[in-house]
Amino acid sequence: MEGPHTIGRWLRERAGADPRRIAIDDRGVALDYRTLHSRAERLATTLSDAGYGPGHRIATVSGNSADHVVAFFACALLGIALVPLSWRLTPNELADLVRRSEAALVLVDDEYSALAAAALHVRGSRRRHPRSSARPESSAR
């Protein structure tokens, strides 16, 4: 295969060379390289169709899971910077990191949806009531 050696290319080549080899064992649920590549390609297509691409940042609030690995490779296929954020953060910390990372999108595992909602609430309340010495935040993309 020609072109730059990227993480997205590595997955594509691995899926072609050894499609049935186990890539991930997520708490007893195994994904082979063919399946991992297929899922990453589908997510990459969805993200691209929604307008995300090179130069964007996508944050995640997730545990260690196969879905997080799929998001990692989907971003790699598109040239998107992945910003993994810990579910152990407080809503204030999470809101601050989402703002500072300039994430265009935040992908959240269902398990952490309450944390993400609280962070968005914090972020929204800060934008409505900026401190007098601070500049108002720019809107999320």
Side-chain angles (χ1 to χ4, degrees), residues 15-47:
D18 207 357
R20 290 285 165 216
R21 186 167 184 174
I22 300 301
I24 300 171
D25 185 338
D26 182 8
R27 298 165 277 201
V29 177
L31 292 180
D32 59 32
Y33 281 100
R34 176 185 294 155
T35 304
L36 176 59
H37 180 252
S38 175
R39 287 182 59 191
E41 285 278 346
R42 281 195 311 272
L43 180 56
T45 298
T46 299
L47 292 170

Side-chain angles (χ1 to χ4, degrees), residues 63-141:
N64 295 330
S65 68
D67 289 338
H68 195 253
V69 176
V70 168
F72 168 81
F73 280 113
C75 288
L77 288 166
L78 293 173
I80 293 171
L82 183 72
V83 182
L85 300 173
S86 175
W87 55 268
R88 292 180 176 99
L89 296 169
T90 67
N92 286 337
E93 292 168 328
L94 189 59
D96 183 53
L97 289 174
V98 168
R99 180 191 58 78
R100 290 189 314 158
S101 71
E102 298 180 355
L105 178 69
V106 179
L107 301 175
V108 179
D109 279 354
D110 288 342
E111 185 176 351
Y112 307 111
S113 61
L115 170 64
L120 289 174
H121 177 75
V122 166
R123 182 175 161 80
S125 66
R126 284 184 182 166
R127 286 170 52 200
R128 284 191 300 270
H129 307 291
R131 289 184 293 210
S132 59
S133 62
R135 292 191 334 234
E137 298 175 14
S138 61
S139 60
R141 294 178 206 186

